[in-house]
């Protein structure tokens, strides 16, 4: 029971302080789940993000479900999922009644502009950390550049890039072993 409570509290804290969606949650997840709790490795977290982006639903919810399931089974997945969405449910329910009143205020607009900048920095820091662990040689650097160019120039689903990158990883590892 303590494990489930710990999952709920950990993911509820993340859900309460994360602005900007699943990508903005990445550095917090990395600090809490990888460095703090040791529920996943950096590599597993990157895998959960990739899978979470390809599966239906919100990335942060999918990742919480994966981590909770890995750490405490099906009940852990359910509890972690509920933990990450619970703060949003409460906050949105409270804001729904007053958002129209406050959204036109200049200081509210400025506050959200500042929060968006902060979210960009958090996402950038997470990308730098993931890049350092994922791009380890010339082959992975080449794959990174090709996928980056494709993502910037093509209007296709991120799931396609993940599948293509997975196939390329299999091929590259096969070439390396040969």
């Amino acid at each position: 029971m303590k494990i489930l409570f710990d999952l709920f509290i950990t993911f509820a804290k993340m859900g309460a302080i994360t602005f900007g969606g699943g990508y903005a949650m990445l550095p917090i997840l990395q600090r809490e789940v990888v460095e703090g709790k040791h529920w996943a490795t950096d590599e597993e977290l990157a895998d959960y993000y990739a899978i979470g982006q390809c599966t239906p639903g919100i990335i942060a919810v999918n990742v919480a479900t994966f981590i909770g399931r890995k750490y405490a089974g099906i009940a852990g997945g359910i509890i972690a999922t509920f933990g990450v969405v619970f703060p949003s449910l409460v906050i949105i329910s409270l804001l729904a009644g007053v958002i129209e009143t406050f959204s036109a205020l200049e200081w509210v607009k400025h506050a959200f502009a500042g929060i968006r900048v902060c979210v960009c920095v958090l996402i950038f820091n997470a990308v730098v950390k993931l890049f350092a662990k994922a791009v380890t040689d010339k082959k992975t650097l080449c794959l990174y550049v090709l996928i980056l160019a494709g993502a910037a120039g093509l209007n296709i689903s991120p799931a396609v890039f993940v599948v293509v990158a997975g196939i390329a990883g299999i091929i590259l590892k096969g070439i390396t072993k040969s």
Side-chain angles (χ1 to χ4, degrees):
M1 199 55 130
K2 181 183 179 327
I3 292 169
L4 296 177
F5 182 75
D6 197 21
L7 276 168
F8 177 83
I9 293 298
T10 300
F11 281 99
K13 284 192 306 188
M14 283 186 262
I17 63 172
T18 302
F19 291 87
Y23 293 114
M25 184 179 271
L26 185 56
I28 298 166
L29 273 168
Q30 201 275 334
R31 186 182 66 239
E32 292 288 324
V33 171
V34 175
E35 295 171 8
K37 304 286 186 180
H38 305 289
W39 290 339
T41 64
D42 282 320
E43 293 77 18
E44 287 172 327
L45 186 60
D47 291 343
Y48 295 152
Y49 255 75
I51 295 168
Q53 182 153 11
C54 295
T55 54
I58 301 165
I59 295 171
V61 172
N62 293 345
V63 172
T65 305
F66 291 140
I67 293 169
R69 166 79 170 64
K70 177 192 176 226
Y71 187 67
I74 292 172
I78 292 168
I79 294 296
T81 301
F82 184 65
V84 79
V85 299
F86 182 74
S88 294
L89 291 173
V90 172
I91 292 167
I92 290 170
S93 295
L94 294 173
L95 287 178
V98 296
I99 194 73
E100 290 296 320
T101 305
F102 293 106
S103 63
L105 296 175
E106 282 301 310
W107 69 269
V108 172
K109 290 178 185 177
H110 297 314
F112 280 115
I115 291 169
R116 282 192 296 273
V117 170
C118 179
V119 167
C120 289
V121 170
L122 293 174
I123 292 170
F124 178 77
N125 287 339
V127 168
V128 168
K129 284 183 180 181
L130 285 174
F131 179 89
K133 292 191 185 281
V135 179
T136 56
D137 55 20
K138 290 179 183 177
K139 291 176 185 174
T140 53
L141 178 60
C142 182
L143 183 59
Y144 173 83
V145 169
L146 289 172
I147 292 172
L148 180 64
L154 303 172
N155 188 20
I156 58 177
S157 169
V160 173
F161 291 112
V162 173
V163 170
V164 168
I167 292 168
I170 292 168
I171 293 169
L172 289 174
K173 285 296 184 184
I175 291 170
T176 305
K177 288 183 180 179
S178 300

